[in-house]
Amino acid sequence: MSSRQEQSTIFKQLDRWGTAIVHWQAEAVASLFFGIPLVLIIGVYLNFGLSTLVKLLALVLFLAIGVWVPLWLLLAKFSIRPVRGVIKRYLKGEEIGEKEIIKTIEFFLAYPRRHATKAFFLTLFAYVSGALPLWLGIVPEMIPNLKKFTLISTSIGFVVGLIEAFLNYALLETYLRGAIESLLSTYAGKVGRVYKYLRVTLFTKIFLLVYFVSLAVQVALLTIFLGRILIFYPGEFIFHFTVLVTFVLFGTFFSLIMATIFARNLTSPLHRVVTWSREIIRGNLDAKIYLATDDESADVLEYSEKMVENLKRGQELMAAEKNKLAVVLSGVADGVVAVDQSYRIVVFNSAAAGITGWLPEEAIGKNLDTILLIYGLDHSRVSIDRLCPREIDNVTDKITYFEPNLSLKTKTGSEKQVNLMAATIKEGSVADVSYILTFHDVTEERELERMKLDFVAMAAHELRTPITSIIGYLSVLQDELGSSLNMEHQQFFRRALTSGKRLIGLMENLLSITRIEKGRLTLRLASIDWQGLVKEAVTEFTPLADEKGLQLRWKPLKTSLPMVLVDSLRISEVLNNLLNNAITYTAKGAISIWCEYDDKEKMVITHIKDTGPGIPEESMPHLFEKFYRIAGPLEEGSKGTGLGLYISKSITTMHGGRIWVKSDFGKGSTFSFSLPIAE
């Protein structure tokens, strides 16, 4: 049976029978194995006849079954009345308040002690009142010795009461332990440490057990001897009583000493283990303890020492990992900052110090918001709530923030460009680390990039003028001398002009990239008829397609499209670039162009499909990167620079749309881009 089923069974029994089962067990053991045998022994010792003994036995059984068992049942049924409501609600699975739980646990903890005392006095009263039927003459042969037997019955009641008190205490504590542990485990957060302050020490339990068992044995022997003296030597009763009581008092005193020594001997090793455990808890893992014992305490110590050894090894491994992490962090070029749940910095590596200007000892313990001053592209402050949102469950590792090209203000007030990422770790609650932030200093990279762009812009601008002049002079010469030149010389002129125009296109692309990278490419948006613009582009490229023997199929929608909000000059670059690529890379077949409207996204989508060789799968992720060209036959068949698709993507993104491609290698490709409608 599972632990939950066992707990439920205990609560069901408590609800139905109270603690009657345990009381009956204690009553049966105490009466059958101590009370009735003691009565019979005294009866035999006092020379009672067989018939008298049978009558006494029948009387005892009748009183037990007819009176005391029903009485115990009644008392047991109402014994848990103060907590019966909680038990019923627990069985139904209802929510229980904190005060009710604590009150119920306190009741169960105190119940064995309280009921043991009750059991002693009730049993003593039972044996005293058990002599009353004898006074009524139920056993006539006992009438001459009624006073003496009443005294003997009282003494037996004292002995059996002590035994039954201990049995009730031990059995009830064992029986109710399951209910207490169930409440402690189910409502651990509400109960707190109430169990610790309501316990009875092991020393007290052992002391009382040894002492009262010894006392019960002495009183039993005293009862047997005094009973015989009363019957056969009534004239010497006082003398013998004094002697026997003296021996009992001496035995009682001796029992106190022996119970103390015995209890201390048993609990001393445990006390030493507890003291040693306190040292371990305080962090002194090198504390030692030596026990000269061969009982279960030695086993407890052995396994405890193994646990401490494992703990020491674990701490050594943790220290090694911590040192290893510190070494790794000190060698990392990126800044690493870790913060706790209150956003206080707990880790600040040397790279972070170099980037921010704050020393680790200055930053650790400070609030993150006072050390990392982060600003976005719009120069607004990035708040700590955006970097490290509080509503995060540390179930798995999770990136909460990532942004490139941010500005970080250093301690001295200067600014640096950084790429920043913030993340949580699932072990964060254990290590008291809520977020880990890493930032990479890209200030020099950005400066080099700016210098490169400036150089490219300057070179493209300076080269464009002489190349334009060269093309102009070549055009004039071709017009004036073309008719007088032979075919080979005319071909030289055409090739020179084509190369010059290609250089002009390259210069224009480089200037466009420079403007895009610097954010200087501006758009003049206006509402236009998109299908009309596409039709004009198709008409312009039709001669080029016819020259290669390709069909250029424009499929206008029968229904009108919404107006789009675009810069017609810039978006024409995108459209022309895609059409030019489709014609360039298609050897035979057809090129199809059509548009559609996405009502959900409020976008007009344009598709350009060719029947060319298609794009390899490994090239798809890099297709819109700068200067990327597909290796192989596609690269050999093209004289492009790898800038057209990058520029097309940048312009489309600036318009608020996006561009993508689908390709079936060997069968063709479909380039698509979306543009927002004019609302």
Side-chain angles (χ1 to χ4, degrees):
M1 189 171 6
S2 67
S3 176
R4 178 65 184 175
Q5 289 176 324
E6 292 175 357
Q7 295 165 1
S8 180
T9 300
I10 293 172
F11 279 99
K12 286 179 181 178
Q13 290 178 347
L14 283 171
D15 182 43
R16 184 177 181 183
W17 300 105
T19 53
I21 297 175
V22 176
H23 298 325
W24 293 349
Q25 291 175 347
E27 176 73 13
V29 173
S31 298
L32 293 177
F33 293 98
F34 292 94
I36 294 176
L38 197 57
V39 172
L40 295 178
I41 290 172
I42 293 176
V44 173
Y45 190 68
L46 298 180
N47 293 326
F48 289 167
L50 180 61
S51 61
T52 303
L53 292 176
V54 171
K55 291 179 181 179
L56 286 174
L57 181 61
L59 178 61
V60 171
L61 291 175
F62 172 77
L63 290 174
I65 297 174
V67 179
W68 293 112
V69 168
L71 180 60
W72 274 119
L73 176 61
L74 184 64
L75 291 175
K77 185 67 175 177
F78 291 97
S79 60
I80 62 166
R81 185 170 56 181
V83 295
R84 186 178 294 277
V86 175
I87 293 174
K88 288 183 178 295
R89 289 165 58 193
Y90 179 88
L91 289 172
K92 293 178 180 178
E94 298 179 3
E95 184 65 24
I96 304 175
E98 180 179 349
K99 292 183 178 179
E100 292 179 296
I101 298 167
I102 294 177
K103 180 180 178 182
T104 303
I105 293 176
E106 290 176 346
F107 178 85
F108 285 149
L109 288 171
Y111 186 83
R113 298 193 296 274
R114 184 170 62 248
H115 190 77
T117 304
K118 186 192 303 181
F120 170 76
F121 287 107
L122 284 176
T123 302
L124 178 61
F125 175 73
Y127 276 84
V128 172
S129 61
L132 293 178
L134 299 177
W135 288 85
L136 300 176
I138 294 178
V139 185
E141 50 268 46
M142 294 293 299
I143 292 178
N145 300 306
L146 283 178
K147 293 182 179 180
K148 302 171 184 177
F149 192 80
T150 301
L151 179 61
I152 294 171
S153 179
T154 302
S155 301
I156 295 174
F158 181 82
V159 174
V160 176
L162 285 177
I163 293 170
E164 190 167 339
F166 273 106
L167 285 172
N168 270 279
Y169 180 84
L171 293 174
L172 279 169
E173 191 175 54
T174 303
Y175 180 71
L176 294 175
R177 186 176 296 128
I180 295 172
E181 291 174 351
S182 175
L183 293 174
L184 287 173
S185 61
T186 306
Y187 304 101
K190 296 182 178 181
V191 174
R193 302 178 66 185
V194 63
Y195 189 77
K196 176 180 177 181
Y197 301 106
L198 294 172
R199 67 182 182 182
V200 177
T201 63
L202 183 61
F203 177 88
T204 304
K205 292 180 181 180
I206 295 174
F207 172 81
L208 293 176
L209 175 64
V210 174
Y211 175 69
F212 283 116
V213 167
S214 174
L215 180 62
V217 172
Q218 293 178 67
V219 173
L221 293 175
L222 178 65
T223 301
I224 293 173
F225 287 123
L226 287 179
R228 187 170 180 82
I229 292 169
L230 281 172
I231 298 297
F232 298 103
Y233 308 101
E236 303 176 6
F237 177 76
I238 300 300
F239 171 76
H240 290 288
F241 177 77
T242 304
V243 173
L244 290 174
V245 169
T246 302
F247 275 106
V248 169
L249 291 176
F250 176 77
T252 301
F253 177 73
F254 181 75
S255 297
L256 284 172
I257 297 175
M258 291 304 297
T260 303
I261 294 173
F262 187 70
R264 184 173 297 167
N265 182 59
L266 287 179
T267 58
S268 177
L270 292 178
H271 283 303
R272 294 186 61 194
V273 171
V274 170
T275 303
W276 172 70
S277 300
R278 288 198 186 101
E279 289 295 318
I280 299 299
I281 293 174
R282 289 170 184 161
N284 183 15
L285 298 182
D286 294 323
K288 299 295 182 183
I289 182 175
Y290 302 97
L291 292 180
T293 179
D294 57 356
D295 55 16
E296 285 81 355
S297 300
D299 295 334
V300 173
L301 179 60
E302 178 185 357
Y303 290 111
S304 298
E305 287 179 333
K306 289 181 179 178
M307 291 173 61
V308 172
E309 289 298 323
N310 291 336
L311 184 59
K312 287 178 66 176
R313 283 197 295 271
Q315 283 195 344
E316 291 171 356
L317 288 174
M318 288 177 62
E321 290 296 328
K322 185 176 180 180
N323 293 334
K324 188 191 302 182
L325 179 62
V327 172
V328 171
L329 289 178
S330 65
V332 172
D334 291 345
V336 179
V337 178
V339 297
D340 61 15
Q341 295 180 351
S342 300
Y343 297 145
R344 287 191 300 268
I345 297 174
V346 294
V347 174
F348 199 83
N349 73 339
S350 56
I355 295 172
T356 63
W358 295 92
L359 295 175
E361 54 268 25
E362 293 176 327
I364 292 177
K366 298 288 183 62
N367 191 280
L368 178 67
D369 214 19
T370 62
I371 301 297
L372 286 187
L373 306 178
I374 306 294
Y375 296 87
L377 294 176
D378 57 354
H379 305 292
S380 63
R381 176 78 181 275
V382 179
S383 66
I384 192 172
D385 291 331
R386 284 183 61 193
L387 290 174
C388 310
R390 293 187 180 276
E391 295 78 17
I392 293 292
D393 296 327
N394 291 340
V395 179
T396 57
D397 300 341
K398 184 176 182 179
I399 296 176
T400 60
Y401 184 87
F402 175 77
E403 191 70 38
N405 303 325
L406 297 175
S407 297
L408 183 148
K409 185 172 288 187
T410 66
K411 180 182 178 181
T412 59
S414 61
E415 287 192 3
K416 291 190 176 182
Q417 302 297 312
V418 296
N419 298 335
L420 187 143
M421 182 182 73
T424 61
I425 56 175
K426 60 183 178 181
E427 297 84 0
S429 58
V430 178
D432 195 24
V433 174
S434 291
Y435 291 90
I436 296 179
L437 295 90
T438 59
F439 46 94
H440 178 64
D441 185 1
V442 293
T443 305
E444 293 184 2
E445 297 175 18
R446 293 289 179 267
E447 183 63 22
L448 289 173
E449 184 72 18
R450 186 189 65 78
M451 293 173 63
K452 182 176 70 174
L453 291 173
D454 289 343
F455 172 77
V456 170
M458 181 188 67
H461 184 74
E462 293 297 326
L463 287 173
R464 184 171 59 174
T465 301
I467 291 173
T468 303
S469 298
I470 291 171
I471 293 174
Y473 291 140
L474 286 173
S475 298
V476 172
L477 287 174
Q478 186 181 35
D479 292 339
E480 293 183 357
L481 302 177
S483 59
S484 62
L485 297 175
N486 58 35
M487 295 298 295
E488 184 179 2
H489 291 164
Q490 290 182 16
Q491 186 179 11
F492 289 161
F493 266 108
R494 286 195 298 271
R495 288 178 179 176
L497 286 170
T498 302
S499 298
K501 291 178 180 178
R502 187 176 294 117
L503 281 173
I504 288 291
L506 175 60
M507 296 302 106
E508 291 295 337
N509 285 339
L510 289 175
L511 289 173
S512 295
I513 288 178
T514 302
R515 288 191 289 268
I516 290 170
E517 294 285 339
K518 289 186 174 183
R520 295 177 182 174
L521 185 66
T522 58
L523 300 178
R524 297 179 179 179
L525 301 177
S527 299
I528 65 170
D529 176 14
W530 180 245
Q531 289 202 112
L533 186 63
V534 174
K535 183 179 179 181
E536 290 178 7
V538 171
T539 302
E540 182 180 344
F541 278 90
T542 298
L544 183 60
D546 293 340
E547 185 179 334
K548 290 191 65 176
L550 302 175
Q551 294 183 11
L552 201 57
R553 299 171 181 170
W554 161 237
K555 303 176 182 178
L557 284 176
K558 294 181 180 180
T559 58
S560 61
L561 280 174
M563 304 287 281
V564 294
L565 188 65
V566 295
D567 183 328
S568 58
L569 179 62
R570 298 300 180 188
I571 207 63
S572 292
E573 292 184 40
V574 177
L575 193 57
N576 293 341
N577 181 63
L578 295 179
L579 285 171
N580 184 69
N581 285 348
I583 295 173
T584 301
Y585 291 105
T586 303
K588 60 180 180 178
I591 298 167
S592 302
I593 305 100
W594 73 96
C595 301
E596 63 177 323
Y597 175 59
D598 186 348
D599 184 61
K600 182 178 180 182
E601 299 292 334
K602 304 298 182 182
M603 291 282 185
V604 171
I605 303 174
T606 305
H607 304 280
I608 301 174
K609 181 179 180 181
D610 62 55
T611 55
I615 301 169
E617 185 176 352
E618 61 271 13
S619 298
M620 297 288 282
H622 310 285
L623 202 58
F624 295 96
E625 295 177 1
K626 282 186 296 186
F627 301 108
Y628 180 78
R629 299 193 64 213
I630 301 172
L634 288 176
E635 184 180 28
E636 296 172 1
S638 169
K639 303 299 182 180
T641 59
L643 296 175
L645 289 179
Y646 172 77
I647 295 173
S648 297
K649 179 181 179 182
S650 300
I651 293 175
T652 304
T653 303
M654 290 176 65
H655 278 85
R658 66 185 186 94
I659 187 170
W660 66 95
V661 61
K662 294 181 180 179
S663 181
D664 190 356
F665 189 63
K667 296 182 179 180
S669 306
T670 302
F671 283 83
S672 307
F673 64 97
S674 60
L675 296 171
I677 65 173
E679 295 185 271

